[in-house]
Amino acid sequence: MDFTAYELGPGDWLWVWPGQVLQFPGGPGECRATVLVFPTGFPSAATDALIRDAEYVPYRLVTPAPARQTALLGLLDALVEEHADLGGLALEAYIETLRDLLSVILIRLVHLADPRRQTRAGGGKPFHRFRQAVEEGFGRTHRVEDYAAELGYSPRTLTRATRAALGCGAKRYIDDRVLLEAKRLLIHTSLTPTAISVRIGFAYPTVFSAFFRQHTGMTPTEFRCLTQT
């Protein structure tokens, strides 16, 4: 497992993937930190699609410009306030209120241009072609070699390009995309794990189950039960 240390300053936002709201009040002269933690699948499907790219952002520390920071902090304060008022709304309204406020924050953060992200080359044309090919073909193949042959690059070129853009290898990128789709289908559809395994390119449900357990520590059925409780 990779670990990255971040030194946070006033006004910094740290993007991490998955609830509750935890606050860490600082002492005199120190900053208060608010940490938002929500269950996997909590954002709406539409928001999830809009923020998907952030899963692969290698630089997760964002410092908004003052005007945007003020707006984001206002949204954050509203989110914390609404989270604390569980009894103030019917449960469905309470959840949707949190979900909508969270969506605005997430979408805004994803689209902020942090200068510290510019230190990576971005992988160039090979990565962008590879990324598009994966979007179109992950339900058919999970092999780097297949995408390399399709695009006219070597597997090594795709791996270098992906690592330059995202900090991970080409195979990891494919697996992450497949896993994201599996989670999306488990949360937002009633398809059986067997049907999902076919849709995302696994020849056998047992292989899909082993893949899912390897990456999440639970079976597809266990994950679905957890996210629907």
Side-chain angles (χ1 to χ4, degrees):
M1 182 178 294
D2 295 330
F3 295 92
T4 302
Y6 294 96
E7 182 177 348
L8 300 180
D12 284 342
W13 295 69
L14 180 63
W15 183 281
V16 293
W17 284 87
Q20 55 191 356
V21 176
L22 302 177
Q23 292 185 354
F24 297 87
E30 296 180 356
C31 298
R32 185 197 74 177
T34 300
V35 180
L36 303 181
V37 184
F38 289 88
T40 299
F42 184 81
S44 68
T47 299
D48 187 59
L50 286 169
I51 67 175
R52 183 187 305 163
D53 287 354
E55 281 201 306
Y56 306 107
V57 169
Y59 295 93
R60 300 174 181 274
L61 194 61
V62 179
T63 305
R68 180 58 60 194
Q69 177 77 295
T70 299
L72 283 168
L73 290 176
L75 288 165
L76 178 59
D77 286 342
L79 179 58
V80 172
E81 182 178 343
E82 292 295 336
H83 180 273
D85 191 24
L86 175 59
L89 294 169
L91 183 59
E92 282 191 14
Y94 172 78
I95 292 174
E96 286 306 310
T97 298
L98 296 184
R99 183 172 282 141
D100 290 345
L101 286 168
L102 177 64
S103 291
V104 178
I105 294 173
L106 293 179
I107 292 168
R108 281 295 184 184
L109 286 175
V110 168
H111 288 83
L112 283 173
D114 187 337
R116 281 166 287 192
R117 292 185 187 174
Q118 305 305 316
T119 56
R120 283 191 181 265
K125 184 176 179 181
F127 171 70
H128 292 293
R129 292 188 64 202
F130 172 58
R131 180 177 187 172
Q132 184 60 39
V134 171
E135 282 299 309
E136 296 172 356
F138 70 82
R140 182 179 67 255
T141 179
H142 306 158
R143 287 166 35 90
V144 177
E145 293 80 3
D146 292 340
Y147 292 105
E150 175 185 339
L151 297 172
Y153 298 117
S154 70
R156 182 174 296 181
T157 294
L158 292 184
T159 294
R160 281 200 305 262
T162 306
R163 195 170 299 281
L166 307 176
C168 68
K171 178 57 177 170
R172 168 68 181 275
Y173 177 81
I174 296 168
D175 286 350
D176 283 354
R177 183 63 186 91
V178 172
L179 184 64
L180 177 64
E181 190 66 15
K183 289 179 177 179
R184 192 193 314 281
L185 293 172
L186 286 166
I187 293 169
H188 297 296
T189 77
S190 58
L191 291 172
T192 65
T194 297
I196 291 173
S197 71
V198 173
R199 179 172 293 197
I200 60 178
F202 288 94
Y204 303 100
T206 52
V207 177
F208 167 52
S209 184
F211 168 86
F212 197 89
R213 181 187 287 276
Q214 177 186 354
H215 288 276
T216 68
M218 63 186 79
T219 67
T221 300
E222 290 169 343
F223 174 82
R224 173 171 275 169
C225 291
L226 180 66
T227 57
Q228 293 181 349
T229 55

